[in-house]
Amino acid sequence: MNSKKYNVAVVGATGAVGKVMLEVLGERKFPVNRIKLLASENSAGKKIKFGSQEIPVEQLTEKSFEGVEIALFSAGAERSRVFAPAAVKSGAVVIDNTSFYRMNPDVPLVVPEVNPQDIKKHHGIIANPNCSTIGMVVVLNPIHKAARIKRVVVTTFQSVSGAGATAIQELKDQTAAWVRGENLPPKKFAHPIAFNCIPQIDDFLDNGYTKEEMKMVNETKKIIGDPSIQVSATCVRVPVFFAHSESVTIETEKKLSAREVRELLSKAPGVIVYDEPSAKKYPMPIDVGGKDETFVGRIREDLSHPSAISLWLVSDNLRKGAATNAVQIAEHL
Ligand code: NAP
Ligand code: 3JN
């Protein structure tokens, strides 16, 4: 048995993803020797609990990675651009949660249930996909293997935690203000998020889609390893704290019945089928927050197409959508 313990750095340790990263490392008993918590200058000196220890946060610099073997980055794409190469130069393997390296052909983009074989192709950096992509591809992959997916149409219902710690606070504050009969203007989001749905996540591109939507399109093809899969996404921010939901319609070359899809998905790693509509049983973010699997329900044959399945899935964006997937990659390493 390998009893080696690793020196780990968590970059963005004070953020929504970073905090869950520490929880997941602890829960999964990742063999940590030394842990380094890195964030901006503003957080330097602040103490964060890891297991029974109180670890001081250090300011991220190019010198932060001496002796570090695994660096988990979630401090925004710009920090990954600047500091991931420094970490690799110091000898660390970087697992990057940002979009910066995801579509770089020299960087594997990995969901361990789908393409674990890509991990060994890394040259120092492995990218973690976007949270909405991760939740979807663990469900698409077994369907693709069985019946070849031609086209996917997806609408997401994304919780505010996907936009970071300040966004979680904004939903709390706006909700409390509404209860007091007051109106709190938006800061993090372009519009009020309490009691609203915002059909924009990230910036718009010239093709009318947002960057978040195009992440789902491009990352899905790369992870599943089939550029012919057509994806059209609409990403919507909803007033939910944790877990992203997705309504997905999947056109396949070979027709699958709803029963066959239910059977396929019940055996798929990382997927739990929770699908008993007559008993009002289907996945909801309120139940899936804190879990690591993607939960799937409402599996049905698309009435409007001879060979398509519609389903509903829910996955915790901070756990499987970010931290758990990154720690699983570190475990594979
Ligand atoms: P967050 O709650 O806003 O946290 C941001 C983190 O980045 C904080 O720890 C912050 O440190 C740190 N940071 C910001 N500027 C920095 C700087 N100049 N130097 C060092 N550290 C800096 O955001 P989050 O939700 O945790 O997300 C963080 C990043 O993870 C996102 O930008 C995104 O790239 C990625 N992400 C990925 C997924 C995914 O789908 N895989 C999901 C969500 C987020 P301070 O507290 O000191 O400011
Ligand atoms: O909004 C969400 O629900 C997920 C957001 C992810 C995110 C937020 C800011 C920057 C990303 C990401 O992971 O793609 C990024 C980024 O790294 O570009």
Side-chain angles (χ1 to χ4, degrees):
M1 207 176 105
N2 183 1
S3 57
K4 177 168 164 48
K5 290 188 168 184
Y6 297 83
N7 296 334
V8 177
V10 177
V11 182
T14 52
V17 175
K19 281 184 183 156
V20 179
M21 201 78 88
L22 295 174
E23 278 171 31
V24 173
L25 285 168
E27 278 171 28
R28 295 177 76 99
K29 299 195 169 36
F30 190 84
V32 174
N33 180 37
R34 238 174 351 101
I35 192 149
K36 209 166 205 189
L37 306 187
L38 301 165
S40 78
E41 191 181 359
N42 300 337
S43 302
K46 192 175 159 185
K47 290 201 167 131
I48 296 187
K49 235 175 140 73
F50 179 68
S52 56
Q53 308 168 64
E54 292 269 340
I55 316 267
V57 176
E58 297 171 42
Q59 182 186 351
L60 171 66
T61 70
E62 291 198 349
K63 298 200 180 94
S64 299
F65 299 97
E66 218 173 287
V68 170
E69 293 167 288
I70 297 174
L72 304 167
F73 271 69
S74 61
E78 180 57 16
R79 262 64 63 192
S80 293
R81 183 186 73 79
V82 175
F83 295 100
V88 174
K89 213 167 165 191
S90 297
V93 176
V94 168
I95 301 170
D96 183 31
N97 265 284
T98 80
S99 59
F100 191 76
Y101 297 100
R102 285 183 196 148
M103 295 314 296
N104 181 326
D106 290 333
V107 174
L109 180 65
V110 176
V111 176
E113 289 84 349
V114 179
N115 60 337
Q117 72 284 358
D118 288 345
I119 294 176
K120 60 177 182 295
K121 298 179 190 157
H122 79 84
H123 304 288
I125 301 177
I126 300 165
N128 213 47
N130 175 267
C131 42
S132 299
T133 312
I134 295 178
M136 184 171 75
V137 293
V138 294
V139 170
L140 294 186
N141 191 52
I143 296 176
H144 188 58
K145 281 191 172 148
R148 214 183 82 72
I149 295 175
K150 288 161 68 179
R151 178 167 180 250
V152 177
V153 179
V154 53
T155 302
T156 68
F157 304 73
Q158 297 184 213
S159 65
V160 293
S161 56
T166 53
I168 299 174
Q169 196 56 46
E170 186 153 318
L171 176 57
K172 283 184 190 164
D173 292 345
Q174 280 180 6
T175 309
W178 185 88
V179 170
R180 291 193 304 268
E182 295 166 14
N183 190 14
L184 207 60
K187 282 190 289 200
K188 179 80 188 176
F189 297 111
H191 304 279
I193 184 60
F195 312 102
N196 198 14
C197 295
I198 306 175
Q200 175 184 358
I201 297 182
D202 211 328
D203 298 328
F204 278 99
L205 297 165
D206 289 344
N207 65 1
Y209 285 85
T210 62
K211 284 188 185 168
E212 181 81 357
E213 289 161 355
M214 291 313 295
K215 286 172 192 171
M216 294 191 79
V217 173
N218 298 321
E219 294 176 17
T220 298
K221 295 171 195 243
K222 179 166 174 177
I223 299 160
I224 296 186
D226 187 343
S228 75
I229 300 176
Q230 297 301 305
V231 181
S232 178
T234 304
C235 292
V236 183
R237 183 76 65 198
V238 297
V240 164
F241 284 111
F242 300 103
H244 290 0
S245 307
E246 303 179 22
S247 165
V248 195
T249 294
I250 306 153
E251 271 180 49
T252 50
E253 195 169 273
K254 175 173 167 247
K255 183 179 168 57
L256 292 175
S257 67
R259 189 179 52 78
E260 284 171 315
V261 171
R262 227 170 265 127
E263 269 173 27
L264 266 176
L265 295 179
S266 334
K267 291 185 214 128
V271 177
I272 292 185
V273 174
Y274 186 65
D275 192 18
E276 238 184 286
S278 59
K280 301 189 177 68
K281 289 186 177 172
Y282 29 71
M284 293 183 289
I286 211 161
D287 301 319
V288 171
K291 307 248 170 37
D292 284 321
E293 298 86 357
T294 295
F295 288 71
V296 187
R298 301 290 321 275
I299 300 170
R300 60 208 188 276
E301 285 150 45
D302 181 345
L303 277 181
S304 68
H305 193 279
S307 179
I309 288 288
S310 287
L311 52 81
W312 171 258
L313 64 87
V314 186
S315 151
D316 186 324
N317 52 298
L318 295 181
R319 288 188 67 98
K320 182 60 185 167
T324 304
N325 198 70
V327 174
Q328 282 178 300
I329 294 171
E331 289 169 349
H332 274 263
L333 279 172

